[in-house]
Amino acid sequence: MLKYLINLLFPKLCLGCNSLLLHNETIICSECNHNLPYTKHHFLERNDTTIKFYGIVPIEFSASMLYFHHKGIVQNLIHNLKYKNHQEIGTLLGKRYAKDLEAVNQIKTITEIIPV
């Protein structure tokens, strides 16, 4: 009973769109989760991220997990992560991308990762 009262007074909101989270949702709602703009850069040798850093810094592999759109889900997530201390966003996205990157052979020899 107390849990329902707390949820009524302090509802859990999606950190991507600010909508109410359902009881089976955490951090981001199902709609935001479904609409995350994944880049799939880790499958492409010459991707947008690699092209942007080419000639500026020596890199062996680069990829971006998500596309950033002004006033989009990703901007909201990054804002909540950086300025509202919602570190669980970083954990969620980091675990998801780590799972995707496990399939990339080129990464198995990399010793340093720089998140941007």
Side-chain angles (χ1 to χ4, degrees):
M1 184 69 132
L2 182 61
K3 176 181 162 184
Y4 295 114
L5 181 60
I6 291 171
N7 283 340
L8 182 64
L9 297 173
F10 305 102
K12 294 181 181 177
L13 301 176
C14 172
L15 297 176
C17 69
N18 265 353
S19 66
L20 257 157
L21 289 176
L22 300 176
H23 73 280
N24 62 335
E25 297 174 330
T26 57
I27 304 172
I28 60 174
C29 67
S30 297
E31 186 172 347
C32 284
N33 193 31
H34 178 72
N35 291 323
L36 283 173
Y38 289 102
T39 65
K40 303 292 185 193
H41 280 177
H42 54 284
F43 293 124
L44 305 170
E45 188 173 322
R46 261 183 79 74
N47 59 57
D48 294 342
T49 306
T50 303
I51 291 167
K52 284 183 183 181
F53 285 108
Y54 183 78
I56 298 172
V57 292
I59 53 174
E60 295 193 26
F61 177 82
S62 63
S64 297
M65 178 183 181
L66 300 166
Y67 286 109
F68 181 92
H69 300 288
H70 185 64
K71 297 197 180 202
I73 298 166
V74 177
Q75 182 177 10
N76 292 338
L77 291 174
I78 291 171
H79 181 83
N80 279 305
L81 171 69
K82 288 176 71 173
Y83 303 114
K84 296 192 177 178
N85 201 29
H86 286 286
Q87 296 175 358
E88 65 272 22
I89 295 169
T91 302
L92 172 76
L93 295 177
K95 285 181 178 179
R96 285 187 184 179
Y97 207 41
K99 192 172 186 175
D100 287 346
L101 293 175
E102 283 179 344
V104 179
N105 288 331
Q106 192 175 3
I107 286 189
K108 296 183 190 275
T109 60
I110 293 178
T111 59
E112 296 177 53
I113 296 175
I114 302 170
V116 180

